[in-house]
Amino acid sequence: MKAIDPQYTADSKYALEVRNVDIYYSAFRAVKNCSFGMERNKITALIGPSGCGKSTVLRSLNRMNDLIAGARTEGEVLYRGQNLYDPDIDAVQVRRSIGMVFQKANPFPKSIYDNIAYGPRVNGWKGSKAEMDELVERALRGAVLWDEVKDDLKKSGLAISGGQQQRLCIARALAVEPEVILMDEPCSALDPISTLKIEELMFELRQRYSIVIVTHNMQQAARASDNTVFFLMDKEDRAGQIVEYGPTEQIFQSPKDERTEQYISGRFG
Ligand SMILES: Nc1ncnc2c1ncn2[C@@H]1O[C@H](COP(=O)(O)OP(=O)(O)OP(=O)(O)O)[C@@H](O)[C@H]1O
């Protein structure tokens, strides 16, 4: 297995770049002709109506689709100068560098502390207990959860609020020190206050990580992303494709394609 080069110094402005990607579920082509770049230290939002392939594209960015029987990706996803789909790339290592947070918070049925420590331990953590304590604190601080749970680290990760659970999942993703964080509708199960907290957190995280988020929520995409990619399903073959992408402000204020304008003004989808 080829390791992703840790010494690679990127000259690309993109943390990840999708080139001519088609994604199939068995014989069905769910996404076609997809090409776009995700800028470093920016938040890229993937938007579009239900079924247009946003989650499928997101999962292709860290080879999560490999876990779905029958799923196949054609084309290139470039990360650190390498195509993640080259046959000799280790998908497990890819998922370590490109972490993921899901729609529904999914803490392990373990203590808050062990939720965070889990990833580093699985990766062969060799440090001391004090160093692990530091790592746990750093990850929880990174996810702006530390102050709320610092006296309850032994409490179950399932015994905190939904918004806190989602931040715990973000902290868990941070603990393995990824470079990119993928978020699949991370706020869809949260109340407006918890949603705002996650959005504020995304702005904080952007300083150190590159973020890609799938969202159904137009306001969220408009206020909480730097760049936006708009997908739509081709009526003929039902494959999702990109209609338009660019800086979020431009997509929302002066879209070039009429279909984008219709979608963001709520006229379909
Ligand atoms: N595991 C799967 N097996 C087969 N087909 C799938 C699978 N997951 C998604 N699809 C199909 O791929 C297409 C794109 O689905 P996807 O979930 O990526 O869209 P989406 O834009 O994220 O939708 P939503 O906003 O509803 O989550 C749809 O036609 C869907 O039915």
Side-chain angles (χ1 to χ4, degrees):
M1 284 284 163
K2 189 157 74 180
I4 295 179
D5 181 1
Q7 300 300 320
Y8 176 78
T9 42
D11 50 5
S12 165
K13 70 179 204 178
Y14 298 125
L16 278 170
E17 193 180 350
V18 168
R19 284 196 193 156
N20 303 318
V21 160
D22 285 15
I23 307 171
Y24 293 81
Y25 292 108
S26 302
F28 172 60
R29 182 164 64 162
V31 172
K32 66 177 178 184
N33 307 335
C34 196
S35 296
F36 67 104
M38 287 143 275
E39 284 184 86
R40 281 175 201 289
N41 299 100
K42 299 263 167 143
I43 301 169
T44 302
L46 311 185
I47 65 166
S50 190
C52 67
K54 307 177 294 291
S55 299
T56 298
V57 169
L58 190 79
R59 286 194 300 264
S60 76
L61 302 175
N62 70 346
R63 292 193 46 179
M64 214 62 160
N65 285 333
D66 290 16
L67 307 175
I68 299 174
R72 192 174 89 248
T73 302
E74 288 179 1
E76 295 186 318
V77 177
L78 296 177
Y79 171 70
R80 291 183 161 254
Q82 285 172 320
N83 177 15
L84 295 183
Y85 286 88
D86 276 350
D88 52 355
I89 293 275
D90 178 359
V92 173
Q93 200 208 348
V94 168
R95 290 183 210 119
R96 221 174 277 153
S97 305
I98 306 173
M100 193 152 193
V101 174
F102 299 88
Q103 187 164 0
K104 201 172 163 300
N106 58 350
F108 301 132
K110 294 173 180 291
S111 69
I112 291 171
Y113 186 101
D114 286 338
N115 261 276
I116 308 291
Y118 181 86
R121 282 177 184 151
V122 165
N123 292 346
W125 170 262
K126 299 250 172 9
S128 66
K129 164 86 173 69
E131 284 166 326
M132 180 59 90
D133 290 352
E134 262 172 45
L135 190 155
V136 168
E137 178 173 342
R138 194 163 61 239
L140 287 168
R141 281 191 189 280
V144 196
L145 186 57
W146 174 251
D147 287 341
E148 290 162 62
V149 300
K150 62 177 188 249
D151 299 322
D152 286 316
L153 295 178
K154 290 202 172 119
K155 195 167 160 180
S156 166
L158 298 168
I160 51 181
S161 77
Q164 289 173 327
Q165 288 187 22
Q166 195 58 300
R167 278 179 283 140
L168 178 60
C169 293
I170 293 172
R172 189 176 64 188
L174 300 183
V176 293
E177 296 176 352
E179 207 174 304
V180 183
I181 305 173
L182 310 177
M183 298 184 167
D184 196 351
E185 297 196 48
C187 303
S188 62
L190 303 183
D191 60 66
I193 292 177
S194 303
T195 296
L196 281 180
K197 277 201 181 149
I198 299 277
E199 288 175 11
E200 282 166 14
L201 172 57
M202 282 162 48
F203 281 122
E204 291 273 323
L205 294 176
R206 181 176 61 172
Q207 293 171 26
R208 292 189 53 199
Y209 308 91
S210 309
I211 298 176
V212 188
I213 178 175
V214 165
T215 178
H216 260 121
N217 179 329
M218 283 311 97
Q219 287 96 343
Q220 178 164 65
R223 70 182 169 237
S225 72
D226 302 293
N227 294 308
T228 295
V229 190
F230 172 52
F231 291 83
L232 204 54
M233 192 194 284
D234 182 331
K235 288 200 189 86
E236 304 260 305
D237 61 6
R238 304 188 60 74
Q241 58 187 347
I242 294 174
V243 172
E244 160 166 19
Y245 72 96
T248 296
E249 210 174 277
Q250 179 251 307
I251 296 284
F252 279 84
Q253 289 177 12
S254 50
K256 295 194 179 99
D257 194 291
E258 193 185 343
R259 294 167 296 173
T260 315
E261 205 276 321
Q262 286 172 345
Y263 182 68
I264 59 172
S265 60
R267 270 180 278 155
F268 70 87

